Amino acid sequence: MFEPISVRAYIYLYVANNPSEKKQEVEERIRETLSVALSGKKCSCGNPIWVVGGADAGHYCFTCITGETIPKDDYEIDEHLNYLKAQSNT
Ligand SMILES: [Zn+2]
């Protein structure tokens, strides 16, 4: 399962762990990837894009980026998780 996190909280954590990164640039990458994910675009394998990983690695899913099948306490942006949840309810 993904651990939901807000864009703001994720950027805060990311910059804390990567002090050489500029907050504004991290936010731009996250927002760009999030908007692609929220447009309904999927990874080339058909899975939903993983926004927090995709911001660094490209528009791919968790499995294609990490090689692991199931997220284990990995973060994902809450807006994207809510979007996917709404999609699966329709
Ligand atoms: Zn994939």
Side-chain angles (χ1 to χ4, degrees):
M1 286 293 285
F2 281 121
E3 187 71 34
I5 191 168
S6 68
V7 171
R8 190 174 293 245
Y10 180 73
I11 292 166
Y12 181 85
L13 273 183
Y14 190 96
V15 175
N17 289 326
N18 303 274
S20 63
E21 295 277 349
K22 292 197 174 64
K23 210 172 163 183
Q24 192 185 340
E25 288 170 14
V26 175
E27 176 157 11
E28 278 169 15
R29 292 206 301 270
I30 289 284
R31 295 271 179 209
E32 191 270 339
T33 310
L34 179 62
S35 72
V36 169
L38 294 181
S39 77
K41 192 178 186 305
K42 299 278 193 287
C43 178
S44 54
C45 75
N47 285 327
I49 288 169
W50 182 35
V51 175
V52 303
D56 287 331
H59 300 155
Y60 300 104
C61 70
F62 177 81
T63 301
C64 288
I65 292 171
T66 64
E68 290 171 35
T69 317
I70 299 169
K72 206 173 136 193
D73 302 329
D74 293 287
Y75 288 118
E76 177 58 313
I77 302 301
D78 52 4
E79 284 175 60
H80 186 220
L81 292 174
N82 292 338
Y83 167 82
L84 292 174
K85 205 172 161 195
Q87 294 275 303
S88 65
N89 288 339
T90 54

PDB file of all heavy atoms in Angstrom, residues 33-47:
ATOM      1  N   THR A  33       4.309  16.045 -13.011  1.00  0.00           N
ATOM      2  CA  THR A  33       4.006  14.617 -13.052  1.00  0.00           C
ATOM      3  C   THR A  33       2.600  14.341 -12.535  1.00  0.00           C
ATOM      4  O   THR A  33       1.881  13.502 -13.084  1.00  0.00           O
ATOM      5  CB  THR A  33       5.053  13.827 -12.222  1.00  0.00           C
ATOM      6  OG1 THR A  33       6.347  14.241 -12.624  1.00  0.00           O
ATOM      7  CG2 THR A  33       4.908  12.328 -12.442  1.00  0.00           C
ATOM      8  N   LEU A  34       2.208  15.093 -11.495  1.00  0.00           N
ATOM      9  CA  LEU A  34       0.863  14.927 -10.946  1.00  0.00           C
ATOM     10  C   LEU A  34      -0.189  15.278 -11.994  1.00  0.00           C
ATOM     11  O   LEU A  34      -1.179  14.550 -12.150  1.00  0.00           O
ATOM     12  CB  LEU A  34       0.703  15.807  -9.698  1.00  0.00           C
ATOM     13  CG  LEU A  34      -0.653  15.764  -9.008  1.00  0.00           C
ATOM     14  CD1 LEU A  34      -0.969  14.363  -8.488  1.00  0.00           C
ATOM     15  CD2 LEU A  34      -0.709  16.767  -7.848  1.00  0.00           C
ATOM     16  N   SER A  35       0.026  16.360 -12.731  1.00  0.00           N
ATOM     17  CA  SER A  35      -0.983  16.756 -13.716  1.00  0.00           C
ATOM     18  C   SER A  35      -1.081  15.722 -14.831  1.00  0.00           C
ATOM     19  O   SER A  35      -2.173  15.457 -15.348  1.00  0.00           O
ATOM     20  CB  SER A  35      -0.702  18.163 -14.267  1.00  0.00           C
ATOM     21  OG  SER A  35       0.410  18.142 -15.113  1.00  0.00           O
ATOM     22  N   VAL A  36       0.048  15.106 -15.188  1.00  0.00           N
ATOM     23  CA  VAL A  36       0.009  14.042 -16.195  1.00  0.00           C
ATOM     24  C   VAL A  36      -0.787  12.845 -15.660  1.00  0.00           C
ATOM     25  O   VAL A  36      -1.652  12.296 -16.336  1.00  0.00           O
ATOM     26  CB  VAL A  36       1.446  13.604 -16.587  1.00  0.00           C
ATOM     27  CG1 VAL A  36       1.428  12.338 -17.422  1.00  0.00           C
ATOM     28  CG2 VAL A  36       2.146  14.727 -17.345  1.00  0.00           C
ATOM     29  N   ALA A  37      -0.508  12.477 -14.394  1.00  0.00           N
ATOM     30  CA  ALA A  37      -1.211  11.344 -13.784  1.00  0.00           C
ATOM     31  C   ALA A  37      -2.713  11.627 -13.670  1.00  0.00           C
ATOM     32  O   ALA A  37      -3.540  10.746 -13.918  1.00  0.00           O
ATOM     33  CB  ALA A  37      -0.621  11.034 -12.414  1.00  0.00           C
ATOM     34  N   LEU A  38      -3.050  12.871 -13.325  1.00  0.00           N
ATOM     35  CA  LEU A  38      -4.467  13.225 -13.153  1.00  0.00           C
ATOM     36  C   LEU A  38      -5.187  13.379 -14.493  1.00  0.00           C
ATOM     37  O   LEU A  38      -6.409  13.430 -14.529  1.00  0.00           O
ATOM     38  CB  LEU A  38      -4.610  14.523 -12.335  1.00  0.00           C
ATOM     39  CG  LEU A  38      -4.151  14.444 -10.879  1.00  0.00           C
ATOM     40  CD1 LEU A  38      -4.366  15.781 -10.176  1.00  0.00           C
ATOM     41  CD2 LEU A  38      -4.870  13.336 -10.122  1.00  0.00           C
ATOM     42  N   SER A  39      -4.429  13.468 -15.575  1.00  0.00           N
ATOM     43  CA  SER A  39      -5.056  13.532 -16.896  1.00  0.00           C
ATOM     44  C   SER A  39      -5.471  12.139 -17.355  1.00  0.00           C
ATOM     45  O   SER A  39      -6.119  11.976 -18.382  1.00  0.00           O
ATOM     46  CB  SER A  39      -4.101  14.156 -17.918  1.00  0.00           C
ATOM     47  OG  SER A  39      -3.122  13.202 -18.306  1.00  0.00           O
ATOM     48  N   GLY A  40      -5.073  11.108 -16.584  1.00  0.00           N
ATOM     49  CA  GLY A  40      -5.472   9.745 -16.911  1.00  0.00           C
ATOM     50  C   GLY A  40      -4.402   8.980 -17.668  1.00  0.00           C
ATOM     51  O   GLY A  40      -4.582   7.819 -18.003  1.00  0.00           O
ATOM     52  N   LYS A  41      -3.269   9.644 -17.944  1.00  0.00           N
ATOM     53  CA  LYS A  41      -2.188   8.956 -18.653  1.00  0.00           C
ATOM     54  C   LYS A  41      -1.612   7.852 -17.756  1.00  0.00           C
ATOM     55  O   LYS A  41      -1.472   8.039 -16.553  1.00  0.00           O
ATOM     56  CB  LYS A  41      -1.094   9.960 -19.022  1.00  0.00           C
ATOM     57  CG  LYS A  41      -0.079   9.413 -20.007  1.00  0.00           C
ATOM     58  CD  LYS A  41       0.952  10.487 -20.364  1.00  0.00           C
ATOM     59  CE  LYS A  41       1.906  10.050 -21.455  1.00  0.00           C
ATOM     60  NZ  LYS A  41       2.624   8.803 -21.221  1.00  0.00           N
ATOM     61  N   LYS A  42      -1.296   6.704 -18.368  1.00  0.00           N
ATOM     62  CA  LYS A  42      -0.757   5.574 -17.617  1.00  0.00           C
ATOM     63  C   LYS A  42       0.684   5.299 -18.034  1.00  0.00           C
ATOM     64  O   LYS A  42       1.144   5.766 -19.066  1.00  0.00           O
ATOM     65  CB  LYS A  42      -1.609   4.326 -17.893  1.00  0.00           C
ATOM     66  CG  LYS A  42      -3.074   4.458 -17.486  1.00  0.00           C
ATOM     67  CD  LYS A  42      -3.249   4.203 -16.008  1.00  0.00           C
ATOM     68  CE  LYS A  42      -4.703   4.004 -15.596  1.00  0.00           C
ATOM     69  NZ  LYS A  42      -5.465   5.263 -15.614  1.00  0.00           N
ATOM     70  N   CYS A  43       1.344   4.493 -17.237  1.00  0.00           N
ATOM     71  CA  CYS A  43       2.655   3.948 -17.591  1.00  0.00           C
ATOM     72  C   CYS A  43       2.514   3.134 -18.884  1.00  0.00           C
ATOM     73  O   CYS A  43       1.417   2.663 -19.208  1.00  0.00           O
ATOM     74  CB  CYS A  43       3.122   3.049 -16.450  1.00  0.00           C
ATOM     75  SG  CYS A  43       4.700   2.239 -16.756  1.00  0.00           S
ATOM     76  N   SER A  44       3.625   2.934 -19.586  1.00  0.00           N
ATOM     77  CA  SER A  44       3.550   2.155 -20.827  1.00  0.00           C
ATOM     78  C   SER A  44       3.073   0.727 -20.590  1.00  0.00           C
ATOM     79  O   SER A  44       2.585   0.078 -21.508  1.00  0.00           O
ATOM     80  CB  SER A  44       4.911   2.166 -21.528  1.00  0.00           C
ATOM     81  OG  SER A  44       5.902   1.715 -20.630  1.00  0.00           O
ATOM     82  N   CYS A  45       3.182   0.226 -19.359  1.00  0.00           N
ATOM     83  CA  CYS A  45       2.706  -1.130 -19.046  1.00  0.00           C
ATOM     84  C   CYS A  45       1.220  -1.140 -18.685  1.00  0.00           C
ATOM     85  O   CYS A  45       0.638  -2.207 -18.503  1.00  0.00           O
ATOM     86  CB  CYS A  45       3.522  -1.740 -17.899  1.00  0.00           C
ATOM     87  SG  CYS A  45       3.109  -1.062 -16.291  1.00  0.00           S
ATOM     88  N   GLY A  46       0.604   0.054 -18.538  1.00  0.00           N
ATOM     89  CA  GLY A  46      -0.822   0.120 -18.251  1.00  0.00           C
ATOM     90  C   GLY A  46      -1.165   0.438 -16.809  1.00  0.00           C
ATOM     91  O   GLY A  46      -2.323   0.698 -16.485  1.00  0.00           O
ATOM     92  N   ASN A  47      -0.184   0.419 -15.928  1.00  0.00           N
ATOM     93  CA  ASN A  47      -0.435   0.768 -14.529  1.00  0.00           C
ATOM     94  C   ASN A  47      -0.443   2.287 -14.356  1.00  0.00           C
ATOM     95  O   ASN A  47       0.145   3.012 -15.159  1.00  0.00           O
ATOM     96  CB  ASN A  47       0.667   0.186 -13.631  1.00  0.00           C
ATOM     97  CG  ASN A  47       0.529  -1.309 -13.438  1.00  0.00           C
ATOM     98  OD1 ASN A  47      -0.570  -1.846 -13.411  1.00  0.00           O
ATOM     99  ND2 ASN A  47       1.660  -1.986 -13.327  1.00  0.00           N
TER     100      ASN A  47
END
